[in-house]
Amino acid sequence: MIEIKNLTKSYAGKKALQSVSLTIPRGEIIGLFGENGAGKTTLMKCILGFLDFSGEITLDGEPVSRKNIAKISFATSEHSFIPNLTAQGHKEFYKEHFPNFSEKRFKGLMEFFDLPMHKPIRTFSTGQKNQFEVIMALCQGADYILMDEPFAGNDVFNREDFYKVLLGILEPTETVLLSTHLIEEVSGFIGRAVLIRRGSIVGDVSMMELDDSGKNLMSYIKETYSYRADRVSKALDELSGKEE
């Protein structure tokens, strides 16, 4: 279990995260939703220990350190692979550093995405680079898999197929924390939704609870964020008025 207590992170005196408390147990697929700049990426980087922060983050009861960091993997659209290394080279590197690396899963996902084994990753398209980033995160052998906008550059068919494959390959003890703007696409894939706004958690609900209440994920998010349906029409009215 990842436990986050009173997590606060500031950049140049401005708070990016403010007293965030969150529990991430094993075996869940959690969607992390919020506007650009809400703090989603900062939260993940704090969990990974990439950033200094105040508060407390523990991994299975222990602080995140070199001793247990292999329990967490990270797929980011900023990319964390070695550009001049081939997929085969990455596989050998990961096998050497991560004892629980799954070669079987790696082979299956590489075939599923039809990615070449012997070309430098820098020669891949943007979509292929993101696919490879996700593959490495899923094959590392981690218990907690953090994904930050992992589907950028992939078409809707690739994304839909990937959701199905991911559901089929995850072990009951594996947890996915998925940050994405593709709310409607992932609503049938996640089991829980966490909403973050201006650095604070403003919503945390299971999909089962939403179903029982007769709401869907998009309506819950709009309601939580106090979304104004008339904001576009009002803006257009004002803009057209200025033109006159």
Side-chain angles (χ1 to χ4, degrees), residues 112-114 127 131 151 153-165 185:
F112 173 75
F113 284 116
D114 194 25
Q131 289 166 356
F151 306 118
N154 284 278
D155 61 67
V156 64
F157 302 111
N158 255 325
R159 295 196 303 266
E160 184 177 342
D161 288 346
F162 175 74
Y163 302 143
K164 295 174 183 176
V165 169
E185 279 192 19

Side-chain angles (χ1 to χ4, degrees), residues 91-108:
K91 184 188 77 169
E92 298 303 323
F93 179 83
Y94 269 60
K95 282 177 63 179
E96 183 176 343
H97 289 84
F98 300 106
N100 294 325
F101 181 83
S102 174
E103 189 162 359
K104 180 180 178 181
R105 183 180 284 187
F106 177 82
K107 181 176 183 295

Side-chain angles (χ1 to χ4, degrees), residues 1 11 51 53 70 75 86 89 105 107 133-134 139 159 169 188-189 198-199 211 215-216 222-223 226:
M1 177 182 292
Y11 295 105
L51 301 172
F53 57 85
T86 64
R105 183 180 284 187
K107 181 176 183 295
E133 181 84 8
V134 169
C139 296
R159 295 196 303 266
I169 66 172
F189 158 70
R198 298 172 186 167
D211 288 341
K215 296 178 183 178
N216 60 39
K222 287 183 175 180
E223 180 182 305
S226 300

Side-chain angles (χ1 to χ4, degrees), residues 60-129:
D60 294 336
E62 299 290 336
V64 180
S65 66
R66 291 184 180 181
K67 294 180 180 179
N68 59 10
I69 190 62
K71 291 183 178 181
I72 307 175
S73 65
F74 187 38
T76 167
S77 56
E78 296 175 359
H79 300 148
S80 59
F81 48 71
I82 305 169
N84 290 324
L85 206 61
T86 64
Q88 177 68 28
H90 276 87
K91 184 188 77 169
E92 298 303 323
F93 179 83
Y94 269 60
K95 282 177 63 179
E96 183 176 343
H97 289 84
F98 300 106
N100 294 325
F101 181 83
S102 174
E103 189 162 359
K104 180 180 178 181
R105 183 180 284 187
F106 177 82
K107 181 176 183 295
L109 288 172
M110 288 293 292
E111 291 177 354
F112 173 75
F113 284 116
D114 194 25
L115 297 180
M117 287 289 292
H118 302 290
K119 290 184 178 180
I121 306 303
R122 60 178 169 78
T123 66
F124 286 16
S125 69
T126 298
Q128 288 176 320
K129 288 175 180 176

Side-chain angles (χ1 to χ4, degrees), residues 205-223:
V205 66
S206 73
M207 300 306 292
M208 187 175 297
E209 288 174 310
L210 284 182
D211 288 341
D212 290 344
S213 68
K215 296 178 183 178
N216 60 39
L217 180 58
M218 183 62 79
S219 65
Y220 171 73
I221 291 175
K222 287 183 175 180
E223 180 182 305

